[in-house]
Amino acid sequence: MKILINLLGIAVVMGIMYLLSSSKKDIPYKTVIKAFLIQVLIAFILVKFPLGRLVIEKVSAVVTQVLSYGAEGITFVFGSLADASSPTGSIFGIQTLGNIIFISALVGGLYYLGILGFIVKIIGTIVGKLLGTSKVESFVAVANMFLGQTESPILVSKYLGSMTESEIMVVLISGMGSMSATIIGGYVALGIPMEYLLIASALVPFGSIAISKMLLPELEEAQNIEDVSIDNKGDNENLIGAIAEGAMNGLQSALAIGASLIAIIGLVALVNGILGVFGITLQQIFSYIFSPIGFLMGLDGGEILRAGQLLGEKLVLNEFVAFQSLGEVIKSLDYRTGLVMAISLCGFANISSMGICISGISALCPDKRKVLSKLAFKAMIGGFAVSVLSSMVVGLITLF
């Protein structure tokens, strides 16, 4: 029965994307179907195939180990406050947000050295050939496996001005439907297993392209750029400069995340205080509104409402708030439920991310501001759908 419900859920998500399409008759069904089938294949390899599971476990262990090195710098600056086992206990603002600075600096260095660009170019070329998408949009979709919604477009910033609206939609949806390597450690610190996050990241390129091409098919003549050069250096003179810039960007991200969490969690408490007069909370409202999605994921009983609450928190508030709520209970959930819920929350698609995308990407190409503003809301829905679709695909695979 769960298999049928899961299949229905996938059909509903794709059906909604079809209804929201800007030009239904121009949807490239061949591209969409191939992208979806490849996504299913990747999910099977990573979730069910022994070698795939082994690779995920090993990569997860390596990434977790790399993340742990950031603790050395945090301890040097903050002393015992960086130690969760000390009398002061766990301090999110220091132990978790502080690590974002280290990871951001590391990514900045890898970015400058061209390592990330090389990986993106190889995988992006394969994706483009498989799906028949342009190299530029394929590269951006792949880059969002590692970079954030305003970081990945930098790789191809010189081509943004000539990109079609359909290609811009891929940029937006892959950005909102993905996570950034710089803050993935924050999710792990909240209790989300690294393996779940890596599986979600691997599914981003194909899910993003499938959803994007349904919502906004190609209606213009896209430029056929055979040799796409990736900008690795940016404004940095050398590796040290790139690392320093990465560290400062990480500091800004950490401060922004901390500020938004203080504001949002405080405001939620305020709203719940008001709603308490009527015997209800904001989380309960979310759980009822979004519970149909939980049902279509093939979840059981009370977990349907829990999934609805988490999805509501992610879309209306942000993914950190949702992951915090999930992290508090994930150890009590069975493997499939925890995996499906975690993947459904992976992505930046929320109301505030629309403004971030518009301002961040238009800074790289001011001429596209109007296009970005026009597409942002639909892209947010698409980004949300990418994560939900990935969770349903993985949920379906776990049932076999």
Side-chain angles (χ1 to χ4, degrees), residues 79-317:
S80 62
L81 293 177
D83 185 4
S85 62
S86 66
T88 53
S90 177
I91 304 175
F92 183 81
I94 293 175
Q95 296 153 14
T96 301
L97 296 184
N99 211 39
I100 291 176
I101 299 172
F102 162 68
I103 298 301
S104 185
L106 175 62
V107 170
L110 295 175
Y111 194 69
Y112 179 85
L113 292 173
I115 295 173
L116 284 181
F118 175 76
I119 295 172
V120 166
K121 201 163 188 176
I122 296 297
I123 301 177
T125 299
I126 295 172
V127 170
K129 288 186 179 298
L130 286 173
L131 302 182
T133 48
S134 71
K135 282 192 174 182
V136 177
E137 63 185 343
S138 300
F139 285 7
V140 174
V142 170
N144 277 296
M145 293 170 63
F146 317 101
L147 303 174
Q149 55 190 341
T150 57
E151 298 165 328
S152 59
I154 297 174
L155 286 172
V156 293
S157 57
K158 67 180 73 173
Y159 305 108
L160 288 173
S162 60
M163 291 178 74
T164 65
E165 289 193 7
S166 180
E167 290 175 322
I168 292 293
M169 182 64 93
V170 173
V171 173
L172 289 171
I173 288 181
S174 61
M176 293 194 196
S178 68
M179 302 170 291
S180 171
T182 58
I183 59 175
I184 200 170
Y187 305 150
V188 174
L190 292 173
I192 311 302
M194 178 64 77
E195 293 94 331
Y196 298 1
L197 301 173
L198 293 178
I199 291 171
S201 292
L203 299 177
V204 166
F206 294 100
S208 298
I209 290 174
I211 296 297
S212 299
K213 294 306 177 184
M214 287 196 74
L215 285 176
L216 184 55
E218 189 60 80
L219 302 176
E220 307 167 65
E221 188 66 36
Q223 285 193 14
N224 184 25
I225 305 172
E226 285 299 326
D227 186 22
V228 177
S229 60
I230 291 179
D231 179 18
N232 297 313
K233 310 299 183 184
D235 297 325
N236 299 299
E237 293 293 330
N238 51 44
L239 178 60
I240 299 301
I243 292 173
E245 182 183 50
M248 294 309 297
N249 289 338
L251 175 61
Q252 291 173 2
S253 294
L255 291 174
I257 291 169
S260 65
L261 289 176
I262 290 171
I264 290 172
I265 293 174
L267 288 171
V268 168
L270 172 62
V271 172
N272 282 339
I274 296 171
L275 292 176
V277 177
F278 307 99
I280 195 169
T281 65
L282 190 61
Q283 287 83 351
Q284 288 175 317
I285 293 174
F286 286 154
S287 69
Y288 290 118
I289 293 175
F290 292 93
S291 61
I293 300 177
F295 172 76
L296 293 172
M297 289 176 178
L299 300 179
D300 296 315
E303 304 309 335
I304 292 175
L305 291 176
R306 191 190 302 278
Q309 173 198 325
L310 295 173
L311 289 167
E313 289 178 345
K314 182 223 173 168
L315 183 63
V316 179
L317 305 177

Side-chain angles (χ1 to χ4, degrees), residues 305-379:
L305 291 176
R306 191 190 302 278
Q309 173 198 325
L310 295 173
L311 289 167
E313 289 178 345
K314 182 223 173 168
L315 183 63
V316 179
L317 305 177
N318 65 40
E319 81 284 356
F320 256 102
V321 175
F323 274 132
Q324 181 190 41
S325 298
L326 177 59
E328 294 171 354
V329 299
I330 196 167
K331 289 184 179 179
S332 66
L333 304 175
D334 62 73
Y335 170 72
R336 180 180 183 274
T337 301
L339 177 62
V340 167
M341 285 187 179
I343 292 177
S344 71
L345 302 180
C346 291
F348 294 119
N350 57 62
I351 293 172
S352 62
S353 68
M354 291 189 292
I356 294 172
C357 277
I358 293 170
S359 59
I361 300 176
S362 62
L364 300 173
C365 183
D367 292 343
K368 291 294 183 182
R369 177 176 287 276
K370 287 185 178 180
V371 173
L372 292 165
S373 300
K374 181 176 73 172
L375 301 179
F377 181 75
K378 186 177 283 190

